[in-house]
Amino acid sequence: MSDKAIQAFCDRKFGMFIHWGLYALPGGRHNGEIMNSIGEWFQSYFRMPNREYAKFAAQFNPVNFNADEWIRKAADAGMKYIVFTAKHHDGFSMYDTKVSDYNIVKMTPFGRDPLRELAAACEKYKIKLGIYYSHYLDWHEEDGGDPGREAGLNCNFMSWGNDWDFPDRSGKDFSRYFYGKVIPQVTELLTNYGEVCELWCDCPMDIRPEFSSALRDLVKKLQPDCMINARIGNGCNDFQGLGDNQLLHSKSPLPIESPGTLNNTWGFKYDDHDWKSTEQIIEQLVSLTEKNANYLLNVGPTALGEFPPETDRILRGIAEWIQGKEDAIYASQPTPFPQELDFAYCTRSGNRLNFFLRKTPPELILDGIRGRVVRADVEFRQEGERLFLKLPDLSGQTLPLVRLEFEGKPDVRQELMPQNGTLLLSPAAAEIMEGKEERKTAGIEIDEAAIVHEVTNHAKLDRDGTLCDWNNVSDKIEWEVFFPEKGDYALSAVTQTRWKNQPWDGDRSLVLHWNGQRAGVKELLPEENDPSPYFTRKLSPLGVLHIPEGGRGKLILESPEIRSENAGKINLNSIRINRI
Ligand code: GLC
């Protein structure tokens, strides 16, 4: 992949995911039953035979579809690319294809090719076109991918493959589907619609490496600069991806993208009214931007071709907010700070630091700032490496932007230290010291004969920068920290579930040591709920750390008792240290 294409990918920052297909027509409802999962999985949820599902095509007539309007809304909200579902798992092609008659032009009264119209609008608004293509799952095809029941069920109750029309997997020939449909369709998509910035594959499941690499070879032959996402499978990707609605908790070293929903579905659903707020979406955008990640935000248009009114409202809110702040987002560099700041998100543009303020006290004090500030949006003063910012009344604004212009490239000390009295210690900045192999976890009396689970997982870093799987009581998590001065600090742990609606079962204790001082013991029982948009996040106070004099030292986190086998499924986001 060329550096130019990677740079262009990183510079875009914000895109619109568009999930649009026949599933928008039922919108999650069937025979009086309301679907309790993501809308584009309608067919699998209701195990609807292809014969019956295909009838939706005869009714699909999105007379209000207007590609220009969709793309204008994306452009107004500051989005620089779109990713459109050319073919989702239902196998129905939402573009003009010669490979399969099961497509929007042939089978619907609408008869138009939305992808062609979207591509033209993208050209007009200088938005890049990306294409989603379900390369493994295809419920319409007998030979479409199916990992079988051994792979479990999606969201616990939906078959991955179409085992209602095609229950017998023994005769399947995936390569017949792959070379008969996927390769020729991706060829069409990368030949007939101009430049494609991303090919977005999904659900690779157990796809064999030769298929992922054949698809990669084709993409690189047709459009070498088209970036491929990680869900192509088998490491054939150009950029990394987070899980659905997953955010980052520390800077990503590699280009990465986070796909997110506005409510709890990708495809339109009549009954999902659980919309995130405009402020939450803006915060997610900025939080991802400072961590080197792109945000691919989904819309699920209706079967008439319209965005739901709530979607329009949120997009308008983003459009208003982003005006005048574009320079601090697009083509910006990630935060130069080695940790997330609790009072701001930070990006860099050339010699400028851009602070998007999460808190707006009258004064902010930053340490370890080495360069000289020559200009700022607010009053400032520098004393050695300490920088004082005096803030006007910015309350009530969503992430107001304060820019600081430095004499040269801003130079921030690469050391973990409190900023404005608070330090968020991310596991990504720690050294994970694996303890010796433990056969049992302390605190659980296990009858030797009946050891059902041997809990021996070492803590590891999840792709979102959190700590996961931690079930070994002798592991130590170590941070080297600098405290510029003595003082008392309140300690707490920020933890979260790994997926939505996951039950909270984090039963363990945590202990922190500072240069030999035992700082806190606490059950990891949630005391305070952080209203997070998707995952459950909790803050658990851990005690007080007394720093007798300024200086450098090791902060060590241990978990001497892990009482629940599920504790490892609760991820540690950070240790929060607050000056009292
Ligand atoms: C999941 C869903 C799929 C959706 C995708 C978006 O993989 O299965 O339906 O398109 O997420 O990221």
Side-chain angles (χ1 to χ4, degrees):
M1 177 51 54
S2 75
D3 291 350
K4 194 177 106 260
I6 294 173
Q7 194 55 52
F9 170 90
C10 291
D11 288 351
R12 285 194 279 274
K13 309 290 186 202
F14 194 21
M16 179 180 275
F17 214 170
I18 306 176
H19 274 74
W20 201 39
L22 296 182
Y23 41 78
L25 205 62
R29 292 179 181 172
H30 181 54
N31 287 342
E33 195 185 329
I34 293 175
M35 195 184 166
N36 167 29
S37 196
I38 40 183
E40 71 286 0
W41 275 74
F42 179 91
Q43 190 184 358
S44 173
Y45 187 92
F46 290 108
R47 305 183 63 78
M48 186 178 273
N50 279 323
R51 197 175 2 87
E52 196 182 333
Y53 188 77
K55 290 185 191 150
F56 288 131
Q59 301 163 42
F60 193 76
N61 195 11
V63 287
N64 296 336
F65 169 70
N66 181 335
D68 193 275
E69 204 178 293
W70 285 14
I71 302 302
R72 184 175 45 72
K73 286 176 183 172
D76 285 350
M79 292 158 163
K80 302 293 180 197
Y81 67 110
I82 66 161
V83 175
F84 177 75
T85 47
K87 189 202 80 169
H88 208 273
H89 309 326
D90 62 4
F92 188 76
S93 303
M94 289 294 285
Y95 73 99
D96 189 10
T97 172
K98 296 203 167 50
V99 180
S100 157
D101 284 349
Y102 196 51
N103 75 63
I104 187 165
V105 176
K106 274 244 161 70
M107 302 261 302
T108 72
F110 185 58
R112 280 154 54 188
D113 178 352
L115 185 56
R116 177 156 311 283
E117 296 177 29
L118 287 167
C122 281
E123 182 98 22
K124 172 171 163 193
Y125 291 99
K126 305 218 166 359
I127 297 280
K128 296 284 176 204
L129 174 69
I131 292 176
Y132 172 108
Y133 187 87
S134 175
H135 66 315
Y136 178 71
L137 298 179
D138 188 317
W139 301 327
H140 189 252
E141 308 300 328
E142 186 155 10
D143 292 315
D146 183 358
R149 294 264 154 164
E150 305 90 271
L153 296 169
N154 189 15
C155 305
N156 290 328
F157 40 75
M158 300 180 289
S159 303
W160 292 100
N162 181 344
D163 60 3
W164 53 95
D165 282 305
F166 314 116
D168 177 17
R169 284 166 66 224
S170 63
K172 263 191 194 289
D173 179 356
F174 181 76
S175 87
R176 193 157 57 196
Y177 153 71
F178 185 80
Y179 286 103
K181 189 165 181 182
V182 178
I183 290 289
Q185 287 208 317
V186 173
T187 304
E188 289 177 332
L189 290 166
L190 294 186
T191 311
N192 300 342
Y193 296 93
E195 188 190 322
V196 175
C197 70
E198 275 180 28
L199 180 72
W200 222 94
C201 302
D202 201 6
C203 300
M205 315 299 300
D206 58 352
I207 194 169
R208 292 211 309 269
E210 70 252 37
F211 295 113
S212 302
S213 61
L215 185 55
R216 181 183 172 85
D217 290 347
L218 176 72
V219 175
K220 295 298 137 184
K221 185 180 93 192
L222 295 172
Q223 296 210 23
D225 281 347
C226 174
M227 299 278 289
I228 304 172
N229 74 332
R231 295 189 199 174
I232 189 173
N234 300 301
C236 292
N237 51 305
D238 295 310
F239 63 94
Q240 309 294 315
L242 287 162
D244 296 344
N245 284 301
Q246 195 177 29
L247 298 174
L248 277 175
H249 299 277
S250 64
K251 247 187 293 190
S252 163
L254 294 167
I256 194 164
E257 186 187 64
S258 170
T261 50
L262 282 170
N263 45 2
N264 295 312
T265 180
W266 304 89
F268 172 76
K269 268 174 76 183
Y270 285 104
D271 301 287
D272 185 340
H273 304 295
D274 189 15
W275 300 92
K276 289 169 193 157
S277 72
T278 308
E279 290 70 31
Q280 277 170 341
I281 300 291
I282 291 171
E283 176 137 17
Q284 294 185 11
L285 168 66
V286 180
S287 167
L288 286 163
T289 302
E290 77 154 7
K291 298 185 185 72
N292 204 18
N294 289 357
Y295 190 22
L296 183 58
L297 179 62
N298 184 69
V299 302
T302 66
L304 279 179
E306 293 165 338
F307 290 1
E310 295 86 345
T311 299
D312 276 336
R313 185 179 49 73
I314 298 170
L315 290 176
R316 271 198 308 276
I318 305 170
E320 272 164 35
W321 177 86
I322 215 157
Q323 263 181 49
K325 301 188 183 77
E326 291 95 335
D327 60 294
I329 296 190
Y330 309 110
S332 68
Q333 302 298 312
T335 173
F337 291 91
Q339 82 265 25
E340 190 178 272
L341 304 173
D342 93 311
F343 60 86
Y345 297 107
C346 182
T347 64
R348 178 174 73 78
S349 319
N351 290 349
R352 218 173 56 224
L353 287 189
N354 312 301
F355 290 95
F356 292 91
L357 299 179
R358 306 162 74 176
K359 292 187 176 154
T360 55
E363 186 179 56
L364 286 172
I365 304 171
L366 280 81
D367 282 302
I369 309 293
R370 284 164 164 164
R372 207 170 69 83
V373 180
V374 288
R375 227 183 337 269
D377 289 346
V378 296
E379 245 181 83
F380 69 96
R381 175 165 63 86
Q382 280 180 291
E383 275 173 25
E385 292 191 4
R386 190 160 263 201
L387 170 68
F388 300 81
L389 300 178
K390 233 178 146 163
L391 302 182
D393 183 14
L394 298 164
S395 51
Q397 295 184 34
T398 304
L399 298 179
L401 173 59
V402 167
R403 302 176 177 87
L404 301 183
E405 179 86 35
F406 287 72
E407 201 166 35
K409 189 174 157 194
D411 183 9
V412 173
R413 212 150 115 176
Q414 292 306 297
E415 215 165 356
L416 299 170
M417 60 177 119
Q419 294 290 1
N420 202 50
T422 300
L423 173 56
L424 299 180
L425 286 176
S426 152
E431 205 175 323
I432 300 170
M433 319 286 280
E434 294 190 354
K436 61 181 181 340
E437 187 79 351
E438 284 281 329
R439 279 284 150 227
K440 307 181 210 168
T441 42
I444 309 180
E445 280 303 319
I446 301 176
D447 166 5
E448 286 301 316
I451 297 181
V452 240
H453 33 262
E454 293 184 341
V455 197
T456 59
N457 289 337
H458 287 297
K460 57 174 199 280
L461 205 58
D462 210 346
R463 61 183 158 184
D464 65 350
T466 60
L467 201 72
C468 62
D469 286 352
W470 188 9
N471 272 327
N472 188 307
V473 293
S474 54
D475 288 349
K476 290 181 169 47
I477 318 300
E478 278 194 20
W479 290 272
E480 176 148 314
V481 178
F482 178 69
F483 286 96
E485 56 206 1
K486 65 173 189 181
D488 286 333
Y489 291 85
L491 301 169
S492 44
V494 185
T495 45
Q496 70 165 48
T497 58
R498 211 174 295 169
W499 57 86
K500 193 177 161 75
N501 299 332
Q502 178 191 333
W504 188 271
D505 188 2
D507 197 13
R508 68 158 83 224
S509 67
L510 290 177
V511 182
L512 273 161
H513 300 268
W514 167 255
N515 289 349
Q517 179 193 152
R518 189 178 160 100
V521 190
K522 189 72 194 177
E523 307 290 298
L524 197 58
L525 295 175
E527 300 218 345
E528 201 182 298
N529 249 326
D530 175 354
S532 112
Y534 207 79
F535 305 97
T536 309
R537 213 182 289 151
K538 317 256 183 189
L539 189 74
S540 313
L542 296 176
V544 173
L545 174 67
H546 176 66
I547 304 287
E549 57 184 329
R552 209 162 270 114
K554 283 230 154 70
L555 196 69
I556 299 174
L557 177 68
E558 290 181 289
S559 192
E561 277 187 88
I562 297 175
R563 283 180 296 271
S564 150
E565 69 169 309
N566 291 323
K569 293 185 189 133
I570 302 293
N571 292 10
L572 176 79
N573 286 9
S574 61
I575 295 292
R576 172 183 275 270
I577 304 178
N578 265 333
R579 175 131 204 200
I580 306 176

